[in-house]
Amino acid sequence: MASSRRHSFFRFDSRLSRRLLRYMVAACLIWALIAAILLAYFGYRGGLDYVQTRLEDIKASAPPSFAYAIEQGDHDQINIMLQAIERLPEITYAEIRPGVSGEGEIYLHGDKSLPHTTHLEIPLNPGHPEGPQLSIAITYSHMLSSLIGYLLLGLFVVVLGILVVGIIMNFIFHQTVTRHLEDVVGYLWDMDVVTLNHRLGIDRPRNHNPDEIDVLVDAVNTMRSHLAEAIEETTLTNRVLEENELSQAKLLSNLPGMVYRCLNNENWDMSFLSDGCKALTGYEAEALIIGGENAYAKLIHPEDREKVWMEVQAAIASKRAFRMDYRIVCADGSTRWVWEQGEAIFDEHGEALVLEGFVSDFTSRRQVEESLRESEGTLRALTEFMSTLLDTIPSPVFYKDNEGRFLGCNEIFARDVLGLPQDQIIGKRLMDLPFGLPSEDGQQYHQADLKLIANPGSQQFEMELVCADGVKRLYYYSRATFQAEKGPADGIIGIMLDLTERKELEEQLVRSQKMEVIGQLAGGIAHDFNNLLQVIRNNVELAMVENLNPAQAKEDLHDAIAAVDRASSLTRQLLTYSRKQALDVREIHLDQHLRGMITMLRRIIREDIQLD
């Protein structure tokens, strides 16, 4: 057995060596890639610089020589210089072309059909750029070919060197590390209770400063001593667990219910039941455990068995705890409500091994819940009654919570005032509804709601409101806070009375009364006006008598003018009263004006009113 285990470790050592070699190869490839990029970059830049330098030399030295040879007509010299340029590396062809006038000969060395990278145009006479030109075609293909060859050779040398270094390092690693790891692993594989008394030792000199191998050996020896201590503690713990099981059994017997462990099958076959089984079901625990005379599934009420099975299986499928209440039939035939909480214990494959949980008596609480449901039913009924009652009120009614959100309203408020369905109103504030209300007005109404809630009481006011049909109506608002208990208000309830028709009737009544008074006033004024006209007529006729004393005629005309002034004053008073003439606001002597209006006022007021 030991030899086979050691052979397994050799396979482990081989795998470790191969893994290290793969790491070294990966490192070589990465370094080779980096080296290739660097070589390519610097080689390319060097080649470009070399070509650029040669071109700059040509550009600086060639124009004067070619210009002189062209001027002397020395064709041989021109061809020799072009041939020298064309033979330079990376030059495809070199050509002398005439200027703009097209006069002169063309000289060409090289092949113009070959591909090239760029052109260089050099004027042979810088003072006359339209004269003859030296055209040079440049290609980088030779430079790139040479660069690739040098690059491949350099990469091969780098990779070869790294691989050799890696193999040497792998051998050194095996001699200094893995062979000592073999001793450690062999010790661990052969470890058992007997060998725990022997320390691990390896054939290796101890360094003054401990390295990783020394630390590993120390850790294994420390683990060995801890395992020995743990075995002793486990023996002691088993004794304590036995005592705890006895205490746990005593504790479970005192719980107000029963603790169980069962199989996940249709019978719910029990493998463990606490002593609370007797008080809960009326059966002894032995009667319901596997092999007993009864199965727990038969205790579940027939109407609840499928529900219990489905809920437990759903909880197992989602790997969660289950909680439910159902009925059981006790040993004496009575029916009892129970509440169960449990969960499944799964194996390493996710299969449910057993179910563990707790079942307690739920009958009293169930009765309380039924009573609450009956109370709640009486409350869905009361709410419906209130809703029906509100809809019978012929005025808009609404109520809100303590944050100004609508809790409800009657149909008239929803249809005639807001023009919205009730389900779109409930839960929203007035300012949040698509009602066409200006935002500043909505915010103002909301603040008024919050102010009323903060200061519980009632509130009455009149306000005009543009309703859903686009008609402006005058409403009388009566609002008050309500609360369920002492403390802050729970909300607001309000009713709106439409005063539009009443307001119009009141205005019609006022106009009618005013016309009646004006009629009375007109009759009196007509009488006074007739008297004044009579005075004016009499005084004018007297002033027209022949041989009348001028002084007497002047006095008669003065009396006629005074009567005219009184008539004019009477007319102004009438216009002012009927508000057909703009008021002239100024300081007056009130007593003088009142004395002038006494006669008119006495005709307006009733006989039972005394004027002083």
Side-chain angles (χ1 to χ4, degrees), residues 433-451:
L433 294 174
F435 174 51
L437 189 69
S439 58
E440 58 273 11
D441 292 346
Q443 187 65 33
Q444 183 178 357
Y445 297 153
H446 181 62
Q447 294 300 324
D449 289 342
L450 298 181
K451 184 176 180 180

PDB file of all heavy atoms in Angstrom, residues 433-451:
ATOM      1  N   LEU A 433     -53.599  64.836  -9.096  1.00  0.00           N
ATOM      2  CA  LEU A 433     -54.607  64.329 -10.020  1.00  0.00           C
ATOM      3  C   LEU A 433     -54.575  65.099 -11.339  1.00  0.00           C
ATOM      4  O   LEU A 433     -54.279  66.291 -11.362  1.00  0.00           O
ATOM      5  CB  LEU A 433     -55.999  64.458  -9.386  1.00  0.00           C
ATOM      6  CG  LEU A 433     -56.253  63.594  -8.149  1.00  0.00           C
ATOM      7  CD1 LEU A 433     -57.600  63.934  -7.541  1.00  0.00           C
ATOM      8  CD2 LEU A 433     -56.207  62.114  -8.508  1.00  0.00           C
ATOM      9  N   PRO A 434     -54.876  64.415 -12.465  1.00  0.00           N
ATOM     10  CA  PRO A 434     -54.948  65.100 -13.767  1.00  0.00           C
ATOM     11  C   PRO A 434     -56.251  65.876 -13.891  1.00  0.00           C
ATOM     12  O   PRO A 434     -57.138  65.550 -14.680  1.00  0.00           O
ATOM     13  CB  PRO A 434     -54.879  63.925 -14.755  1.00  0.00           C
ATOM     14  CG  PRO A 434     -55.472  62.771 -14.018  1.00  0.00           C
ATOM     15  CD  PRO A 434     -55.088  62.953 -12.583  1.00  0.00           C
ATOM     16  N   PHE A 435     -56.356  66.932 -13.104  1.00  0.00           N
ATOM     17  CA  PHE A 435     -57.598  67.669 -12.953  1.00  0.00           C
ATOM     18  C   PHE A 435     -57.533  69.035 -13.629  1.00  0.00           C
ATOM     19  O   PHE A 435     -58.527  69.729 -13.761  1.00  0.00           O
ATOM     20  CB  PHE A 435     -57.895  67.798 -11.451  1.00  0.00           C
ATOM     21  CG  PHE A 435     -59.089  68.655 -11.116  1.00  0.00           C
ATOM     22  CD1 PHE A 435     -60.306  68.445 -11.734  1.00  0.00           C
ATOM     23  CD2 PHE A 435     -58.991  69.668 -10.186  1.00  0.00           C
ATOM     24  CE1 PHE A 435     -61.390  69.234 -11.424  1.00  0.00           C
ATOM     25  CE2 PHE A 435     -60.081  70.455  -9.872  1.00  0.00           C
ATOM     26  CZ  PHE A 435     -61.290  70.235 -10.489  1.00  0.00           C
ATOM     27  N   GLY A 436     -56.356  69.453 -14.082  1.00  0.00           N
ATOM     28  CA  GLY A 436     -56.200  70.771 -14.694  1.00  0.00           C
ATOM     29  C   GLY A 436     -56.080  71.880 -13.676  1.00  0.00           C
ATOM     30  O   GLY A 436     -56.253  73.065 -14.011  1.00  0.00           O
ATOM     31  N   LEU A 437     -55.815  71.527 -12.411  1.00  0.00           N
ATOM     32  CA  LEU A 437     -55.670  72.529 -11.370  1.00  0.00           C
ATOM     33  C   LEU A 437     -54.266  73.116 -11.420  1.00  0.00           C
ATOM     34  O   LEU A 437     -53.287  72.383 -11.510  1.00  0.00           O
ATOM     35  CB  LEU A 437     -55.913  71.884  -9.998  1.00  0.00           C
ATOM     36  CG  LEU A 437     -56.010  72.821  -8.796  1.00  0.00           C
ATOM     37  CD1 LEU A 437     -57.285  73.644  -8.884  1.00  0.00           C
ATOM     38  CD2 LEU A 437     -56.003  72.023  -7.502  1.00  0.00           C
ATOM     39  N   PRO A 438     -54.130  74.458 -11.390  1.00  0.00           N
ATOM     40  CA  PRO A 438     -52.783  75.053 -11.363  1.00  0.00           C
ATOM     41  C   PRO A 438     -51.977  74.509 -10.192  1.00  0.00           C
ATOM     42  O   PRO A 438     -52.502  74.258  -9.105  1.00  0.00           O
ATOM     43  CB  PRO A 438     -53.067  76.560 -11.219  1.00  0.00           C
ATOM     44  CG  PRO A 438     -54.437  76.739 -11.784  1.00  0.00           C
ATOM     45  CD  PRO A 438     -55.182  75.484 -11.439  1.00  0.00           C
ATOM     46  N   SER A 439     -50.678  74.306 -10.423  1.00  0.00           N
ATOM     47  CA  SER A 439     -49.833  73.680  -9.408  1.00  0.00           C
ATOM     48  C   SER A 439     -49.781  74.499  -8.130  1.00  0.00           C
ATOM     49  O   SER A 439     -49.774  73.956  -7.027  1.00  0.00           O
ATOM     50  CB  SER A 439     -48.420  73.482  -9.957  1.00  0.00           C
ATOM     51  OG  SER A 439     -47.870  74.721 -10.363  1.00  0.00           O
ATOM     52  N   GLU A 440     -49.763  75.850  -8.273  1.00  0.00           N
ATOM     53  CA  GLU A 440     -49.694  76.659  -7.052  1.00  0.00           C
ATOM     54  C   GLU A 440     -50.971  76.548  -6.233  1.00  0.00           C
ATOM     55  O   GLU A 440     -50.939  76.526  -5.002  1.00  0.00           O
ATOM     56  CB  GLU A 440     -49.418  78.126  -7.397  1.00  0.00           C
ATOM     57  CG  GLU A 440     -50.444  78.782  -8.316  1.00  0.00           C
ATOM     58  CD  GLU A 440     -50.125  78.569  -9.796  1.00  0.00           C
ATOM     59  OE1 GLU A 440     -49.240  77.740 -10.085  1.00  0.00           O
ATOM     60  OE2 GLU A 440     -50.763  79.217 -10.637  1.00  0.00           O
ATOM     61  N   ASP A 441     -52.150  76.407  -6.909  1.00  0.00           N
ATOM     62  CA  ASP A 441     -53.406  76.221  -6.178  1.00  0.00           C
ATOM     63  C   ASP A 441     -53.437  74.857  -5.496  1.00  0.00           C
ATOM     64  O   ASP A 441     -53.862  74.729  -4.341  1.00  0.00           O
ATOM     65  CB  ASP A 441     -54.592  76.354  -7.131  1.00  0.00           C
ATOM     66  CG  ASP A 441     -54.760  77.770  -7.644  1.00  0.00           C
ATOM     67  OD1 ASP A 441     -54.127  78.688  -7.063  1.00  0.00           O
ATOM     68  OD2 ASP A 441     -55.494  77.971  -8.619  1.00  0.00           O
ATOM     69  N   GLY A 442     -52.957  73.815  -6.222  1.00  0.00           N
ATOM     70  CA  GLY A 442     -52.917  72.495  -5.621  1.00  0.00           C
ATOM     71  C   GLY A 442     -52.030  72.448  -4.395  1.00  0.00           C
ATOM     72  O   GLY A 442     -52.371  71.829  -3.380  1.00  0.00           O
ATOM     73  N   GLN A 443     -50.862  73.111  -4.452  1.00  0.00           N
ATOM     74  CA  GLN A 443     -49.968  73.154  -3.303  1.00  0.00           C
ATOM     75  C   GLN A 443     -50.604  73.912  -2.147  1.00  0.00           C
ATOM     76  O   GLN A 443     -50.456  73.544  -0.978  1.00  0.00           O
ATOM     77  CB  GLN A 443     -48.637  73.807  -3.711  1.00  0.00           C
ATOM     78  CG  GLN A 443     -47.565  73.767  -2.647  1.00  0.00           C
ATOM     79  CD  GLN A 443     -47.124  72.349  -2.335  1.00  0.00           C
ATOM     80  OE1 GLN A 443     -47.108  71.493  -3.198  1.00  0.00           O
ATOM     81  NE2 GLN A 443     -46.775  72.095  -1.092  1.00  0.00           N
ATOM     82  N   GLN A 444     -51.335  74.998  -2.467  1.00  0.00           N
ATOM     83  CA  GLN A 444     -52.000  75.784  -1.428  1.00  0.00           C
ATOM     84  C   GLN A 444     -53.083  74.954  -0.725  1.00  0.00           C
ATOM     85  O   GLN A 444     -53.197  74.974   0.510  1.00  0.00           O
ATOM     86  CB  GLN A 444     -52.609  77.035  -2.059  1.00  0.00           C
ATOM     87  CG  GLN A 444     -53.266  77.977  -1.054  1.00  0.00           C
ATOM     88  CD  GLN A 444     -53.821  79.224  -1.728  1.00  0.00           C
ATOM     89  OE1 GLN A 444     -53.659  79.412  -2.926  1.00  0.00           O
ATOM     90  NE2 GLN A 444     -54.457  80.074  -0.957  1.00  0.00           N
ATOM     91  N   TYR A 445     -53.889  74.184  -1.494  1.00  0.00           N
ATOM     92  CA  TYR A 445     -54.920  73.339  -0.889  1.00  0.00           C
ATOM     93  C   TYR A 445     -54.283  72.260  -0.016  1.00  0.00           C
ATOM     94  O   TYR A 445     -54.792  71.938   1.070  1.00  0.00           O
ATOM     95  CB  TYR A 445     -55.775  72.684  -1.975  1.00  0.00           C
ATOM     96  CG  TYR A 445     -56.552  73.660  -2.820  1.00  0.00           C
ATOM     97  CD1 TYR A 445     -56.908  73.344  -4.118  1.00  0.00           C
ATOM     98  CD2 TYR A 445     -56.905  74.915  -2.330  1.00  0.00           C
ATOM     99  CE1 TYR A 445     -57.621  74.242  -4.913  1.00  0.00           C
ATOM    100  CE2 TYR A 445     -57.617  75.812  -3.113  1.00  0.00           C
ATOM    101  CZ  TYR A 445     -57.960  75.483  -4.403  1.00  0.00           C
ATOM    102  OH  TYR A 445     -58.643  76.361  -5.176  1.00  0.00           O
ATOM    103  N   HIS A 446     -53.166  71.682  -0.490  1.00  0.00           N
ATOM    104  CA  HIS A 446     -52.481  70.639   0.285  1.00  0.00           C
ATOM    105  C   HIS A 446     -51.971  71.195   1.617  1.00  0.00           C
ATOM    106  O   HIS A 446     -52.103  70.533   2.664  1.00  0.00           O
ATOM    107  CB  HIS A 446     -51.327  70.060  -0.533  1.00  0.00           C
ATOM    108  CG  HIS A 446     -50.582  68.976   0.174  1.00  0.00           C
ATOM    109  ND1 HIS A 446     -51.162  67.791   0.569  1.00  0.00           N
ATOM    110  CD2 HIS A 446     -49.284  68.921   0.601  1.00  0.00           C
ATOM    111  CE1 HIS A 446     -50.269  67.037   1.185  1.00  0.00           C
ATOM    112  NE2 HIS A 446     -49.120  67.696   1.213  1.00  0.00           N
ATOM    113  N   GLN A 447     -51.393  72.392   1.592  1.00  0.00           N
ATOM    114  CA  GLN A 447     -50.919  72.992   2.835  1.00  0.00           C
ATOM    115  C   GLN A 447     -52.085  73.285   3.777  1.00  0.00           C
ATOM    116  O   GLN A 447     -51.949  73.167   5.002  1.00  0.00           O
ATOM    117  CB  GLN A 447     -50.143  74.282   2.532  1.00  0.00           C
ATOM    118  CG  GLN A 447     -48.841  74.051   1.772  1.00  0.00           C
ATOM    119  CD  GLN A 447     -47.882  73.169   2.542  1.00  0.00           C
ATOM    120  OE1 GLN A 447     -47.799  73.250   3.764  1.00  0.00           O
ATOM    121  NE2 GLN A 447     -47.150  72.328   1.817  1.00  0.00           N
ATOM    122  N   ALA A 448     -53.246  73.668   3.211  1.00  0.00           N
ATOM    123  CA  ALA A 448     -54.422  73.901   4.050  1.00  0.00           C
ATOM    124  C   ALA A 448     -54.877  72.598   4.714  1.00  0.00           C
ATOM    125  O   ALA A 448     -55.278  72.595   5.889  1.00  0.00           O
ATOM    126  CB  ALA A 448     -55.551  74.502   3.208  1.00  0.00           C
ATOM    127  N   ASP A 449     -54.805  71.468   3.979  1.00  0.00           N
ATOM    128  CA  ASP A 449     -55.137  70.163   4.572  1.00  0.00           C
ATOM    129  C   ASP A 449     -54.214  69.839   5.745  1.00  0.00           C
ATOM    130  O   ASP A 449     -54.666  69.436   6.828  1.00  0.00           O
ATOM    131  CB  ASP A 449     -55.027  69.061   3.515  1.00  0.00           C
ATOM    132  CG  ASP A 449     -56.146  69.131   2.488  1.00  0.00           C
ATOM    133  OD1 ASP A 449     -57.161  69.789   2.783  1.00  0.00           O
ATOM    134  OD2 ASP A 449     -56.005  68.531   1.417  1.00  0.00           O
ATOM    135  N   LEU A 450     -52.909  70.006   5.527  1.00  0.00           N
ATOM    136  CA  LEU A 450     -51.948  69.689   6.583  1.00  0.00           C
ATOM    137  C   LEU A 450     -52.140  70.598   7.789  1.00  0.00           C
ATOM    138  O   LEU A 450     -51.976  70.165   8.941  1.00  0.00           O
ATOM    139  CB  LEU A 450     -50.518  69.814   6.043  1.00  0.00           C
ATOM    140  CG  LEU A 450     -50.150  68.856   4.886  1.00  0.00           C
ATOM    141  CD1 LEU A 450     -48.704  69.078   4.470  1.00  0.00           C
ATOM    142  CD2 LEU A 450     -50.371  67.415   5.289  1.00  0.00           C
ATOM    143  N   LYS A 451     -52.475  71.866   7.553  1.00  0.00           N
ATOM    144  CA  LYS A 451     -52.693  72.800   8.662  1.00  0.00           C
ATOM    145  C   LYS A 451     -53.912  72.387   9.480  1.00  0.00           C
ATOM    146  O   LYS A 451     -53.894  72.438  10.722  1.00  0.00           O
ATOM    147  CB  LYS A 451     -52.858  74.209   8.117  1.00  0.00           C
ATOM    148  CG  LYS A 451     -52.990  75.268   9.192  1.00  0.00           C
ATOM    149  CD  LYS A 451     -53.055  76.660   8.577  1.00  0.00           C
ATOM    150  CE  LYS A 451     -53.178  77.734   9.670  1.00  0.00           C
ATOM    151  NZ  LYS A 451     -53.250  79.093   9.093  1.00  0.00           N
TER     152      LYS A 451
END
